[in-house]
Amino acid sequence: MNNNNQDKSNKTADKLFKISTNKESLKFLLVYIIIGFAWILFSDTILEYLIDDMQVILKIQTYKGWLYVFVTGIVFYLIIRSKLVMIEQSANEINESYMKLEKNSQSLADSEQRYRLVVEGSNDGIWDWDLINDTYVFTIKSKPNFGYEDGELTDSFESWKSIYHPEDWLKTEKYIRNFLDSDKIFYENTYRLRCKNGEYRWILSKGKAMRDKDGKPMRITGSHTDITDRKQMEEKVNRLAYYDQLTELPNRFMIEEIGIEKIDYYRNKGEEFAFVLIDIDNFKHINDTMGHKIGDQLILHVKDILSDTIKPNHVLARTGGDEFSIIITDSHNKEEVLHLLDKILSDVRKPWLINDHDIFISISAGLAFFPEHGHSFDEISKNADTAMTHIKESDKDGYAIYHPSMIEKTWQRMLKISKLRNAIKKKEFYLDYQPIYNIADHRFVGVEALIRWKDVDGNTISPGDFIPLAEETGLIHSISEWVFQSVCDQLNQWDSIGFDNYKIAMNLSGKVLTGENLTSIIKNTYGICDSVFSKIEFEITETAVINDFEKAIIELNNLKKLGIKISLDDFGSGYSSLTYLQKLPLDSIKIDRDFIKHILSEDAEESMFKSIVDMAHDLGLNVIAEGVETEDQLRFVRKNGCDMAQGYYLGRPVSPGEIETILKQLI
Ligand code: C2E
Ligand code: CA
Ligand code: CA
């Protein structure tokens, strides 16, 4: 209780005390007057009745006067004394109760002050909602954070509502309504309030409700705490979990959640939407050869193209290293989606300028539509992935819409990969050798080793079928090592028989040429013996070196230093650039069998054939004609200056035993 209240009660007590004292005194005076009168009247009458002598009566009257004064004196004394004792007792009682009161009000003030300190210290505000009288009081104690001056925000419901975030207000309104209708006691809600500078801060509001016996809330009182820092931290953690750091796009987890929501929404709406999976072609190669920084810039470059092309209501995410996903909603038809993809593909194909170089890139995309290609997000994304893999395995740089037949194809491919893996383990391969002859004197000069795969069921699978698959899956490294070792064993065997003056050509995959440690693998296999290396020739193709030209040149030079010969295979079938002939450390070129096949049907080709041979000779290279199937073809290649020939007409690929027969004739 405060001093004002104490004063008030003091005054009231004074007033009451005065009233009762006046009454008592008047009563006392009246009794005294009555007794006085009665004494004067009756004592004289009694004296006159008892005594006749006037002299004696006068004397006694004097004593009677003295007696009256004495008795009334004693009576007064007793009365005043008892009153004084009473007053003293009352005063003591009043004093005691004042002291008690003072003590109570002190502890009340203490606890009030304590509460205020806690509220201020905890940076919390308080609120109190009286539902009976419909009054609402709230304070923001953390005013410095909100920027409001004292008095600027009144403690009212309207004031509180006026700084509420509009999005959170609807949510809170609903929460309050549910809370009031429930029988809950504890209230907890989070929302944003606007600061004076327009920023919003997060508030955690906690309260306790007082309900009547029917459970109806009468009053809710609580506190609100500024939890903006905590929220920002949560948001940061959330960003790390749901967003990609490099592109700041949603990540795989985020798009999965969005995708599940979209499926629910579009299922109810009865509409379709598209899911697109995009993968950058040859990204690993760019990343490995040009470095991770350039790789990152390429990701950002593709991201920019994608986000510039899609509409604001589409969802773009980075779902893997070089993989993006898009959820395309609200498109009127499939053509619109395909049109959007055409635009993306053509923008990506435009040269990308990096470090003063124009780099040509492409992407492969797979599409699946909800609900046509799946009823769950898992199914939709899996089918888009199947469509994307389908494109990757064919020409890349394009898109495909999912079709169930793709699953069968993918399944077949997986089966083939697993069979190939087993074939490596169980060594189901062997080598055939096809002879190569010097054209001028029909001298046997060597063989080309050609791999064969006979599977467990006895089927022979052509290298044209499994080598590309082995290159895509990386299994080519194990296969190549097996070929190197088999050729090595063959060389040793023929050497022990005493065969000399021949070479063995091996086909070298680009993946192996520019892969890890080719030279050391070769050294480990063949030892450091010049006589062995001089018998080896590696056949490489233009496509094998095109991806990493610099590395290919380094590796080829290393091989050349060992004494190994290099020949450019399938010349005239692909790019056939003069640059390769000039820059690669070659010993010979092999003119592609398709070129030879068409040679006699088209007159115009002859001059071109001749100029290729001349050009190669000018560069000091030998020319080998491949796929010579007829005598006419052999005559033609001889006439046009080819040095060597290989083909069914001269000899099919055969077992080592059959080659031995030829070799024996040479000794
Ligand atoms: P390639 O290097 O061009 O090998 C020559 C291919 O032409 C062989 O097919 C051979 O059998 C075939 N051929 C030879 N003469 C004639 C002919 O007169 N007419 C016709 N129509 N074809 C002829 P094969 O053995 O099926 O090999 C196909 C491809 O597989 C090879 O083409 C080569 O690129 C690859 N390959 C074969 N063995 C290996 C290997 O050990 N390692 C690697 N990396 N690739 C290999
Ligand atoms: Ca070859
Ligand atoms: Ca060839």
Side-chain angles (χ1 to χ4, degrees):
M1 202 194 275
N2 58 24
N3 289 342
N4 267 352
N5 288 348
Q6 202 173 327
D7 284 353
K8 240 187 228 171
S9 65
N10 282 352
K11 277 177 193 160
T12 318
D14 283 353
K15 223 169 169 179
L16 287 172
F17 187 70
K18 259 184 208 161
I19 292 167
S20 68
T21 317
N22 283 345
K23 252 184 170 175
E24 281 284 294
S25 310
L26 283 172
K27 217 164 93 187
F28 187 70
L29 187 68
L30 200 70
V31 171
Y32 177 74
I33 291 169
I34 293 167
I35 291 175
F37 270 120
W39 177 257
I40 293 166
L41 206 69
F42 293 115
S43 63
D44 282 354
T45 317
I46 291 168
L47 275 179
E48 277 168 23
Y49 175 74
L50 291 175
I51 304 164
D52 297 328
D53 189 349
M54 230 16 228
Q55 283 273 306
V56 176
I57 287 174
L58 279 172
K59 236 181 202 174
I60 290 175
Q61 265 179 337
T62 310
Y63 291 124
K64 187 179 61 127
W66 281 112
L67 181 70
Y68 183 79
V69 171
F70 180 71
V71 170
T72 53
I74 286 176
V75 169
F76 276 137
Y77 167 76
L78 289 173
I79 288 171
I80 288 167
R81 211 187 81 145
S82 81
K83 287 289 171 196
L84 280 175
V85 167
M86 266 172 66
I87 286 168
E88 198 178 29
Q89 268 175 358
S90 309
N92 281 345
E93 272 169 24
I94 287 169
N95 234 4
E96 256 171 44
S97 46
Y98 272 152
M99 274 165 74
K100 239 186 215 164
L101 216 60
E102 213 156 86
K103 211 170 153 191
N104 281 346
S105 57
Q106 184 60 44
S107 63
L108 206 64
D110 279 354
S111 75
E112 223 178 62
Q113 193 182 23
R114 232 185 342 258
Y115 178 69
R116 203 169 51 242
L117 280 173
V118 168
V119 168
E120 281 171 5
S122 67
N123 225 14
D124 284 358
I126 47 170
W127 55 273
D128 179 36
W129 187 14
D130 182 344
L131 285 105
I132 306 287
N133 300 311
D134 199 21
T135 57
Y136 184 86
V137 176
F138 95 104
T139 56
I140 301 175
K141 286 287 175 195
S142 47
K143 278 183 183 152
N145 285 345
F146 283 82
Y148 296 108
E149 301 291 328
D150 273 349
E152 210 170 340
L153 272 177
T154 55
D155 291 345
S156 69
F157 188 83
E158 284 311 311
S159 188
W160 174 65
K161 200 178 147 185
S162 72
I163 59 169
Y164 222 90
H165 195 291
E167 274 173 29
D168 299 344
W169 174 245
L170 293 173
K171 216 176 69 195
T172 296
E173 229 183 358
K174 197 171 154 199
Y175 179 80
I176 292 176
R177 213 174 302 128
N178 288 343
F179 181 80
L180 296 180
D181 290 345
S182 74
D183 56 356
K184 284 182 192 156
I185 296 291
F186 293 101
Y187 169 97
E188 187 172 324
N189 188 20
T190 48
Y191 50 83
R192 283 160 291 179
L193 291 184
R194 197 181 56 248
C195 302
K196 198 175 174 184
N197 64 5
E199 275 175 23
Y200 281 92
R201 295 194 73 82
W202 279 97
I203 295 293
L204 166 68
S205 181
K206 275 181 157 186
K208 192 176 173 185
M210 265 194 295
R211 295 179 180 271
D212 63 15
K213 58 181 184 335
D214 300 324
K216 263 184 73 182
M218 299 187 297
R219 186 182 204 123
I220 316 174
T221 307
S223 64
H224 41 223
T225 314
D226 187 337
I227 53 159
T228 312
D229 292 346
R230 195 182 88 194
K231 272 276 175 188
Q232 279 167 352
M233 197 56 137
E234 275 173 17
E235 227 159 79
K236 220 172 174 182
V237 172
N238 192 38
R239 281 201 84 75
L240 282 179
Y242 284 101
Y243 286 85
D244 165 52
Q245 300 264 75
L246 175 68
T247 57
E248 295 184 344
L249 289 175
N251 65 10
R252 175 178 293 279
F253 302 111
M254 180 78 160
I255 198 149
E256 206 175 296
E257 283 189 12
I258 297 173
I260 291 167
E261 271 173 29
K262 295 274 180 209
I263 289 213
D264 276 351
Y265 180 75
Y266 282 91
R267 183 181 286 132
N268 292 337
K269 248 180 127 185
E271 286 179 16
E272 67 167 21
F273 74 84
F275 180 75
V276 189
L277 206 66
I278 291 172
D279 195 279
I280 303 173
D281 296 333
N282 306 318
F283 176 76
K284 192 181 172 318
H285 178 73
I286 296 171
N287 210 32
D288 289 349
T289 54
M290 301 180 80
H292 290 246
K293 270 196 183 146
I294 301 282
D296 282 357
Q297 286 186 47
L298 174 57
I299 299 277
L300 291 170
H301 169 67
V302 173
K303 175 226 159 178
D304 287 344
I305 293 175
L306 296 176
S307 42
D308 285 351
T309 320
I310 60 168
K311 291 183 190 158
N313 58 339
H314 299 166
V315 185
L316 171 66
R318 183 183 176 204
T319 40
D322 59 340
E323 190 187 280
F324 293 90
S325 299
I326 315 174
I327 295 178
I328 300 177
T329 51
D330 301 332
S331 50
H332 299 105
N333 49 43
K334 284 198 176 90
E335 271 68 49
E336 210 177 289
V337 177
L338 300 187
H339 183 71
L340 189 100
L341 275 179
D342 280 329
K343 165 102 178 64
I344 289 173
L345 278 157
S346 74
D347 283 353
V348 170
R349 275 184 210 119
K350 286 176 192 161
W352 172 51
L353 186 73
I354 186 87
N355 289 354
D356 293 332
H357 290 291
D358 273 344
I359 303 225
F360 293 89
I361 51 159
S362 64
I363 52 171
S364 300
L367 270 122
F369 288 89
F370 171 83
E372 191 185 335
H373 301 132
H375 296 281
S376 68
F377 184 70
D378 210 30
E379 215 180 330
I380 293 286
S381 55
K382 199 183 77 209
N383 289 341
D385 191 42
T386 304
M388 200 259 288
T389 312
H390 178 82
I391 279 289
K392 282 264 172 202
E393 281 163 12
S394 40
D395 293 336
K396 299 183 176 165
D397 189 16
Y399 60 79
I401 301 175
Y402 169 76
H403 189 275
S405 65
M406 289 174 180
I407 292 265
E408 181 57 28
K409 235 179 133 186
T410 310
W411 178 242
Q412 289 299 336
R413 182 184 140 88
M414 304 252 294
L415 213 69
K416 226 167 162 183
I417 294 170
S418 116
K419 272 176 82 180
L420 187 58
R421 207 166 259 134
N422 257 325
I424 296 169
K425 240 191 263 167
K426 293 184 178 158
K427 300 202 167 55
E428 291 172 1
F429 305 109
Y430 63 92
L431 291 175
D432 268 349
Y433 294 89
Q434 187 175 29
I436 302 169
Y437 291 94
N438 199 31
I439 295 178
D441 53 8
H442 196 72
R443 188 171 40 91
F444 173 86
V445 285
V447 291
E448 178 181 358
L450 294 162
I451 192 167
R452 303 286 175 254
W453 172 17
K454 201 169 195 169
D455 71 11
V456 272
D457 306 322
N459 304 316
T460 309
I461 301 150
S462 146
D465 259 3
F466 69 84
I467 293 291
L469 188 68
E471 286 178 335
E472 281 165 34
T473 52
L475 293 172
I476 191 68
H477 296 283
S478 315
I479 292 176
S480 294
E481 281 181 38
W482 178 86
V483 172
F484 297 157
Q485 191 54 55
S486 302
V487 167
C488 180
D489 295 344
Q490 195 60 71
L491 276 167
N492 286 335
Q493 198 201 331
W494 285 341
D495 198 43
S496 65
I497 300 173
F499 299 144
D500 209 353
N501 269 336
Y502 70 94
K503 62 169 186 178
I504 298 186
M506 278 178 273
N507 293 287
L508 188 63
S509 157
K511 283 265 158 66
V512 178
L513 172 64
T514 53
E516 298 284 297
N517 308 324
L518 174 64
T519 315
S520 53
I521 292 170
I522 297 293
K523 273 189 198 165
N524 286 342
T525 314
Y526 297 97
I528 311 168
C529 171
D530 292 350
S531 66
V532 175
F533 290 133
S534 63
K535 285 196 178 82
I536 298 172
E537 185 165 293
F538 277 128
E539 297 186 4
I540 54 158
T541 59
E542 287 160 316
T543 38
V545 296
I546 206 164
N547 282 334
D548 195 351
F549 198 63
E550 309 299 319
K551 176 100 191 276
I553 289 183
I554 295 169
E555 287 298 330
L556 290 174
N557 278 323
N558 286 339
L559 294 173
K560 288 240 16 170
K561 272 183 214 151
L562 295 174
I564 292 172
K565 300 214 164 42
I566 311 291
S567 97
L568 187 64
D569 205 354
D570 301 343
F571 191 82
S573 66
Y575 301 89
S576 298
S577 149
L578 190 63
T579 323
Y580 295 116
L581 291 189
Q582 286 169 332
K583 289 196 176 169
L584 292 170
L586 300 172
D587 295 284
S588 52
I589 60 164
K590 291 183 89 172
I591 298 180
D592 190 57
R593 64 173 185 272
D594 269 354
F595 208 127
I596 308 282
K597 203 165 147 186
H598 296 119
I599 216 80
L600 294 172
S601 52
E602 314 247 343
D603 288 345
E605 303 258 351
E606 188 167 348
S607 61
M608 210 220 282
F609 188 90
K610 181 86 175 74
S611 57
I612 287 174
V613 176
D614 290 346
M615 194 172 63
H617 283 160
D618 286 349
L619 291 165
L621 305 174
N622 283 317
V623 180
I624 306 158
E626 273 196 318
V628 175
E629 289 183 349
T630 63
E631 199 185 341
D632 286 347
Q633 283 173 344
L634 182 62
R635 204 176 299 126
F636 177 89
V637 297
R638 181 190 290 134
K639 189 180 117 193
N640 284 291
C642 285
D643 305 292
M644 283 163 258
Q646 175 187 358
Y648 291 172
Y649 180 69
L650 301 161
R652 287 188 173 250
V654 290
S655 68
E658 290 185 56
I659 298 295
E660 268 172 43
T661 319
I662 305 170
L663 284 167
K664 274 178 191 156
Q665 291 164 6
L666 296 176
I667 306 178

